[in-house]
Amino acid sequence: YEAYGDCARMMDLTETLVQGAALAVSGKPAGRLGGREVDLTRPWPRLRMADEVSRLAGSDVSAWDLDAFKSAFGKKANLAVCRDPGEALVAVFEGLCRLDPSRPVFVTGHPVSVSPLAQREAPGSPWADRYEVFLGDMELANGFSELNDPDDQRGRFAQQARLRAGGDEEAQPVDEEYLEALEYGLPPTGGLGLGLDRLTMLLTGADSIRDVILFPLLKPRIT
């Protein structure tokens, strides 16, 4: 986390950290993944999720409802479990969009409905000020401008609680202590999460995450 940081700052920090790690390990801004060299030179390309799905659809999908997504992509992507157009957009993107595996890419413009802790891009916007870094179909990092509006956050938690009650184990529970802290005040804040095991794979050229996984208890026991 960085106080008074935001999504843009976190993107800059993410590519700087990864490029710097590569330089420290191999002396060049590059890594290897799946037998392919990966160019880590910053700045990395940036694209919006809805733009990529719109390209597949042949029209702007940013205002589509759930039925429109199912009509256009229901036979190509698994949309049966999607409960809103935001979830459908993500499912189509992850299932059908193919990104360049030789270069990290920032994917921005995630739906608010799948980003319960992220600030909106603008007041009332359906898009979160959030990014994910992808190498092909592998996610390397996730970051966003932290939501610091306690009323908006309570509404998001309430929606997540409804999903959790419906059987979604990944939905966020209502955190009253966190909400109370937000009511006292949280400055604008940027946060990022970087997959260290996947970064190690990239920097060492490991073929499997099992070769580099950090936690020994998750490795098979050798007798």
Side-chain angles (χ1 to χ4, degrees):
Y1 293 97
E2 181 178 310
Y4 302 103
D6 59 11
C7 183
R9 164 63 182 155
M10 294 300 103
M11 285 194 282
D12 180 67
L13 180 58
T14 299
E15 61 187 7
T16 300
L17 283 171
V18 173
Q19 178 183 279
L23 289 170
V25 169
S26 65
K28 60 181 182 178
R32 293 192 68 81
L33 194 65
R36 180 196 302 268
E37 183 163 293
V38 178
D39 180 10
L40 301 175
T41 307
R42 61 185 301 263
W44 299 344
R46 302 180 183 192
L47 58 86
R48 289 186 67 84
M49 184 181 292
D51 290 346
E52 288 300 292
V53 176
S54 294
R55 182 180 57 79
L56 287 180
S59 63
D60 184 5
V61 304
S62 58
W64 279 13
D65 61 16
L66 182 56
D67 288 339
F69 276 102
K70 289 184 175 180
S71 176
F73 294 109
K75 295 181 179 180
K76 301 177 183 178
N78 181 17
L79 305 183
V81 297
C82 294
R83 294 160 295 202
D84 60 53
E87 291 185 354
L89 177 69
V90 174
V92 173
F93 176 81
E94 293 181 347
L96 301 179
C97 291
R98 298 292 176 257
L99 302 180
D100 185 356
S102 66
R103 192 91 194 274
V105 176
F106 287 111
V107 177
T108 64
H110 292 64
V112 165
S113 65
V114 298
S115 310
L117 300 174
Q119 191 74 265
R120 297 173 189 268
E121 289 186 334
S125 172
W127 310 112
D129 198 22
R130 175 187 173 191
Y131 69 86
E132 289 178 293
V133 177
F134 284 94
L135 266 172
D137 59 359
M138 186 183 82
E139 181 188 337
L140 181 63
N142 177 42
F144 44 82
S145 300
E146 300 289 331
L147 179 57
N148 61 352
D149 179 335
D151 294 331
D152 193 352
Q153 186 64 80
R154 182 173 291 280
R156 307 263 197 105
F157 276 155
Q159 173 61 20
Q160 290 286 299
R162 288 190 287 271
L163 297 178
R164 195 174 183 86
D168 185 349
E169 296 181 356
E170 295 184 1
Q172 297 276 343
V174 177
D175 188 336
E176 290 292 347
E177 290 184 351
Y178 183 65
L179 289 169
E180 182 181 2
L182 286 185
E183 289 170 353
Y184 281 100
L186 174 71
T189 301
L192 73 88
L194 182 63
L196 294 182
D197 297 325
R198 295 178 183 187
L199 177 61
T200 304
M201 286 179 63
L202 178 63
L203 298 180
T204 62
D207 292 327
S208 170
I209 199 168
R210 291 181 179 275
D211 296 333
V212 301
I213 197 162
L214 187 61
F215 301 102
L217 292 178
L218 297 180
K219 294 182 177 179
R221 184 174 180 178
I222 299 175
T223 57

